[in-house]
Amino acid sequence: MSETLTLSKAIGTGLRRALADDDKVVLMGEDIGRLGGVFRVTEGLQRDFGPDRVMDTPLAEAGIMGTAIGLAFRGYRPVVEIQFDGFIYPAFDQIVAQLAKLHYRTRGNVRMPITVRVPYGGGIGSVEHHSESPEAYFAHTAGLRVVTCSNPQDAHTMIRQAIASDDPVMFFEPKRRYWAKGEVDETIDDSTLPMGSARVAAEGTDVTLVAYGPLVKTALDAAAAAADDGLSVEVVDLRSLSPIDFDTVEASVRKTGRLVITHEAAQFGGLGAEIAASITDRCFYHLEAAPARVTGFDTPYPAAKLEEHFLPDLDRILDAVDRVLGRENSLTGGLV
Amino acid sequence: MRSAISEQQSGSEENSLSEVFGPDEELIQILTPFGERVSQPLFDSWIDDVDSAALLALYEDMVVVRRIDTEATALQRQGELGLWAPLLGQEAAQIGSARALRSDDFVFTSYRENAVAYCRGVQLVDLVKVWRGVANSGWNPFEVNMATPAVIIGAQSLHATGYAMGCQKDGVDSVAVAYFGDGATSQGDVNEAMIFAASFHAPVIFFCQNNQWAISEPVGLQAVRPISDRSPGFGIPSLRVDGNDVLAVTATMRIALDRARTGGGPTFIEAVTYRMGPHTTSDDPTKYEDVDLHAQWAAKDPILRLERHLEATGVLDDAARASVKEKSDEVARGFRAACHTLDDPEPLAVFDHVYSAPHSGVDRQKRQYAAYLSYIEGGTR
């Protein structure tokens, strides 16, 4: 029943299943047809389902998003590919002012079952606009559901859940993990793990480490390294960024008393701030230390040769783990 | 029909800059401002069936929507509405185009298209909800095949194009219509909509009411050539019509609809008209509008010219006039009464319909606000 797939192939098989199961599912995007997308996620789908179902579009993100909305008015279930994270801004108005608000505006009369696929994040040595993490803009916007996958199984299950959702879903794909392999069981569905739920990726007792998307692997590596040091780190893979499954995070923090949050996006006004504030609000007296954030800096995404400094890595995460545990860390030497 | 369009296209190519706001004879016109009907061989056959009774019905529509407009403005002045966007002067453009539609066509508009909504069968009580502030939209779009207005300028042009692409996939001959103004033609969305419509040969009509103003900005700031000159560059033929001539608007709209239904693809119509009122009830045109220009356009009033025509042809007699007045007063009374039936929504309605399924974040806020309300209203502080 299960097979080994890369994360990109796991999304591709999910899209294939959705196209086969529902005539109203259409794929739209730049280069997704004959080329199969710049990351080959949609490879072979136009060949098998035709250009009416898998549509190469003009090079205009607002146009793609706005016409997808029109198709949804007509009863279609469009899946839009935005080629790269940094290319989504021309579509921002259609996403934030139209897609997110139409259900609310029309008091539930108009549903927008649109999935917006966005390859995001850094770590691939690319040029400007190809490595960004814009998820907070969308998590901040009421009316959108925002999710991200960290492994092939979730990638497959969650893209199908996103397409099945009657609400618009921003589906962030960790592009540097596209080639990561894992077992994918196509029969796993909502009853196993709803799209809005977080997942404890590694159990632990000393520190809760919250991550999502591309940094889940980094967090798991950090937890393994910490274990060598005799520390037990629990890794929570958020999966959903709107809503956030705070119950799962809270349960973990109540157990560990310590919280570290990591994401590639800039820190200021980011999801780490929201998680720190909400968890402090929910279980202040269970916290043994102030929550710590390990994030991208409050700078534009830097040139490729600098991204290793910008991106949270295993050592910066372990430094924050030391901090919440009151152990010696980069801030204790009086250098800052 | 194609010759009509190509002639119009080549005609517009000959326009010089000085003729952008040129005289009426550049426009497709069937009914002059004096109410004289002129022969337009390329267009007359499209309105053969518009007999005296049909003309009288169009006249009644225009008088009624102007009466709604007047009543709404009064209601705003009386504090019953927060805002109103009058369509005064644009009755022929809206009625002529909307009455040409079939019920299975789908319309995407901006916020001034109250006459289009009236033609689609939107209830008066639903027309007023947004402006009274009790809801963000008035009606279920699928009951009248008209989306609720887009306030972001031009956004709806893409929705219409996408809808038309859906009609195409479904193999039906329904048509989508995007209504927008001259200001919207500067927006990227409208231009991208034309690109998508052309590339996919979508059955969509871009109906631009060039009412000469985007709040205080004259159309010359949006376009240095006639707006109808723009779409041929995208591969979409255009028609430039006298928007104050309900017959010419009807003919051009029917041509465009026929093209769309028979696989001809998109058409762009520029209905040249004039916004005789303010942008909204919050606006003050005396700060920017030339009074002579206003007077010139008043002389081209869409209702006045049809009235002259109907009087000259003996259709509009005293009895008919009284009947139209009675109908418009009745609608105005209904509009005012409907306005008064609208109570403020319940406080917790702020949380309704954000999502179609539970969302733990919003649901939690709703529970907390409900607790807060009962706490302060319970007087337990």
Side-chain angles (χ1 to χ4, degrees):
Chain A
M1 195 63 78
S2 78
E3 57 179 328
T4 305
L5 297 175
T6 61
L7 189 147
S8 70
K9 202 73 186 167
I11 296 171
T13 58
L15 294 170
R16 179 177 290 279
R17 280 290 298 268
L19 282 162
D21 290 349
D22 185 350
D23 287 348
K24 294 297 183 185
V25 172
V26 290
L27 272 49
M28 307 171 72
E30 298 159 2
D31 306 300
I32 69 165
R34 292 179 71 179
L35 181 64
V38 295
F39 291 106
R40 309 293 184 268
V41 173
T42 56
E43 195 158 44
L45 295 179
Q46 190 184 64
R47 181 194 63 217
D48 296 344
F49 293 93
D52 263 4
R53 305 281 310 279
V54 181
M55 305 162 65
D56 273 327
T57 64
L59 224 75
E61 286 78 10
I64 299 168
M65 206 57 248
T67 51
I69 289 169
L71 279 160
F73 259 99
R74 183 73 203 173
Y76 284 85
R77 203 169 270 276
V79 182
V80 165
E81 177 176 306
I82 301 293
Q83 197 161 70
F84 279 91
D85 36 57
F87 301 173
I88 201 168
Y89 308 111
F92 198 69
D93 176 66
Q94 284 289 344
I95 294 173
V96 169
Q98 305 300 332
L99 180 66
K101 294 182 170 67
L102 268 158
H103 188 264
Y104 188 74
R105 181 183 302 151
T106 61
R107 288 169 295 159
N109 284 313
V110 178
R111 291 191 169 181
M112 281 290 132
I114 295 177
T115 301
V116 184
R117 294 181 40 237
V118 191
Y120 83 120
I124 62 164
S126 195
V127 296
E128 202 181 359
H129 314 299
H130 291 69
S131 303
E132 299 185 11
S133 297
E135 65 273 14
Y137 299 122
F138 303 100
H140 188 70
T141 300
L144 301 174
R145 294 182 187 272
V146 183
V147 300
T148 180
C149 51
S150 66
N151 59 73
Q153 179 66 64
D154 277 355
H156 179 84
T157 309
M158 291 172 76
I159 191 66
R160 291 173 61 188
Q161 289 171 319
I163 295 169
S165 169
D166 281 340
D167 293 319
V169 179
M170 304 298 296
F171 190 87
F172 283 95
E173 302 174 0
K175 71 168 83 80
R176 68 165 137 153
R177 307 293 181 208
Y178 268 144
W179 302 277
K181 287 182 180 171
E183 289 299 296
V184 174
D185 179 349
E186 291 197 8
T187 63
I188 288 179
D189 62 14
D190 225 46
S191 63
T192 315
L193 192 59
M195 188 174 69
S197 300
R199 181 177 60 95
V200 176
E203 292 196 6
T205 53
D206 295 333
V207 174
T208 298
L209 174 56
V210 172
Y212 56 84
L215 289 185
V216 172
K217 180 187 184 301
T218 314
L220 288 170
D221 291 347
D228 293 342
D229 208 11
L231 294 174
S232 173
V233 174
E234 179 148 299
V235 176
V236 176
D237 178 357
L238 275 188
R239 298 177 1 115
S240 175
L241 309 181
S242 176
I244 288 176
D245 178 5
F246 284 117
D247 289 347
T248 295
V249 182
E250 180 185 345
S252 177
V253 172
R254 281 177 182 267
K255 180 172 67 175
T256 64
R258 292 176 167 85
L259 174 62
V260 173
I261 308 138
T262 186
H263 52 64
E264 291 187 17
Q267 185 166 97
F268 190 88
L271 286 164
E274 182 57 43
I275 294 163
S278 289
I279 290 302
T280 304
D281 186 42
R282 283 169 176 249
C283 54
F284 178 71
Y285 292 107
H286 288 79
L287 283 168
E288 303 288 346
R293 289 172 287 170
V294 186
T295 69
F297 301 123
D298 296 336
T299 65
Y301 199 88
K305 297 297 185 192
L306 282 170
E307 72 177 343
E308 66 175 296
H309 298 287
F310 180 92
L311 292 170
D313 62 10
L314 183 146
D315 289 326
R316 275 174 66 196
I317 289 172
L318 289 178
D319 187 52
V321 167
D322 284 338
R323 197 182 337 150
V324 297
L325 283 165
R327 291 155 48 118
E328 187 183 349
N329 66 83
S330 65
L331 299 181
T332 49
L335 296 174
V336 178
Chain B
M1 172 203 57
R2 287 194 178 276
S3 62
I5 286 172
S6 58
E7 179 174 293
Q8 194 58 26
Q9 270 184 271
S10 62
S12 58
E13 278 163 22
E14 289 159 14
N15 284 336
S16 68
L17 288 181
S18 62
E19 289 171 326
V20 169
F21 309 110
D24 284 357
E25 42 275 29
E26 282 183 24
L27 307 171
I28 301 160
Q29 188 182 74
I30 294 172
L31 209 53
T32 73
F34 308 104
E36 296 154 351
R37 177 144 181 191
V38 294
S39 171
Q40 291 282 11
L42 294 169
F43 298 91
D44 286 342
S45 64
W46 291 93
I47 47 171
D48 274 349
D49 62 317
V50 183
D51 57 13
S52 295
L55 269 180
L56 193 58
L58 290 169
Y59 174 76
E60 181 187 278
D61 281 342
M62 298 204 298
V63 172
V64 166
V65 297
R66 182 171 289 188
R67 185 70 184 83
I68 291 173
D69 218 50
T70 311
E71 195 69 16
T73 299
L75 283 165
Q76 193 278 334
R77 297 299 187 233
Q78 291 160 359
E80 297 289 347
L81 301 182
L83 191 73
W84 180 257
L87 57 75
L88 187 67
Q90 299 175 223
E91 294 87 353
Q94 293 190 20
I95 296 291
S97 57
R99 282 295 183 215
L101 301 173
R102 282 193 335 218
S103 62
D104 63 311
D105 297 327
F106 207 103
V107 177
F108 294 83
T109 74
S110 182
Y111 43 75
R112 203 182 302 283
E113 280 69 55
N114 297 307
V116 176
Y118 175 76
C119 292
R120 297 306 283 171
V122 169
Q123 299 298 304
L124 296 173
V125 68
D126 291 335
L127 202 55
V128 80
K129 281 176 181 163
V130 167
W131 309 103
R132 194 163 165 86
V134 301
N136 283 348
S137 75
W139 57 87
N140 179 347
F142 301 114
E143 284 176 4
V144 289
N145 281 354
M146 174 174 175
T148 53
V151 177
I152 301 293
I153 298 299
Q156 74 279 10
S157 56
L158 283 165
H159 307 164
T161 303
Y163 190 93
M165 288 159 64
C167 292
Q168 212 171 21
K169 289 182 192 301
D170 293 342
V172 298
D173 70 348
S174 310
V175 175
V177 184
Y179 281 87
F180 50 87
D182 43 300
T185 62
S186 294
Q187 289 281 2
D189 280 3
V190 171
N191 291 277
E192 291 187 23
M194 287 197 275
I195 291 164
F196 276 68
S199 294
F200 292 104
H201 209 59
V204 59
I205 297 170
F206 298 106
F207 192 89
C208 175
Q209 292 169 83
N210 173 4
N211 71 6
Q212 314 296 325
W213 296 103
I215 305 188
S216 69
E217 297 189 348
V219 65
L221 195 58
Q222 320 294 343
V224 297
R225 302 264 310 161
I227 286 171
S228 57
D229 272 13
R230 207 171 284 175
S231 71
F234 291 101
I236 300 173
S238 65
L239 292 161
R240 190 162 192 253
V241 62
D242 183 340
N244 286 8
D245 173 354
V246 74
L247 275 176
V249 171
T250 301
T252 51
M253 192 67 177
R254 285 177 172 186
I255 289 169
L257 284 164
D258 185 69
R259 286 191 80 236
R261 293 198 207 291
T262 56
T267 306
F268 189 102
I269 296 173
E270 179 189 0
V272 180
T273 179
Y274 195 80
R275 196 194 76 206
M276 294 298 290
H279 163 66
T280 66
T281 46
S282 299
D283 184 29
D284 178 9
T286 64
K287 288 189 177 298
Y288 56 82
E289 189 193 30
D290 182 74
V291 289
D292 292 337
L293 182 64
H294 188 95
Q296 281 171 33
W297 279 95
K300 302 185 216 174
D301 186 85
I303 295 181
L304 183 62
R305 77 172 70 178
L306 185 55
E307 203 165 77
R308 284 170 171 160
H309 177 71
L310 292 172
E311 281 168 354
T313 51
V315 178
L316 190 63
D317 54 18
D318 287 348
R321 199 188 295 275
S323 161
V324 169
K325 179 165 188 340
E326 192 181 333
K327 168 79 187 252
S328 62
D329 285 344
E330 179 194 318
V331 170
R333 276 194 302 275
F335 188 73
R336 177 172 286 267
C339 176
H340 288 137
T341 64
L342 292 170
D343 295 327
D344 291 352
E346 293 300 315
L348 290 178
V350 70
F351 298 103
D352 290 348
H353 305 300
V354 183
Y355 297 92
S356 69
H359 182 282
S360 57
V362 177
D363 297 345
R364 180 183 168 92
Q365 281 190 344
K366 182 177 180 176
R367 285 195 303 274
Q368 290 180 340
Y369 191 60
Y372 167 81
L373 286 178
S374 61
Y375 172 69
I376 56 163
E377 284 163 9
T380 49
R381 291 184 71 176

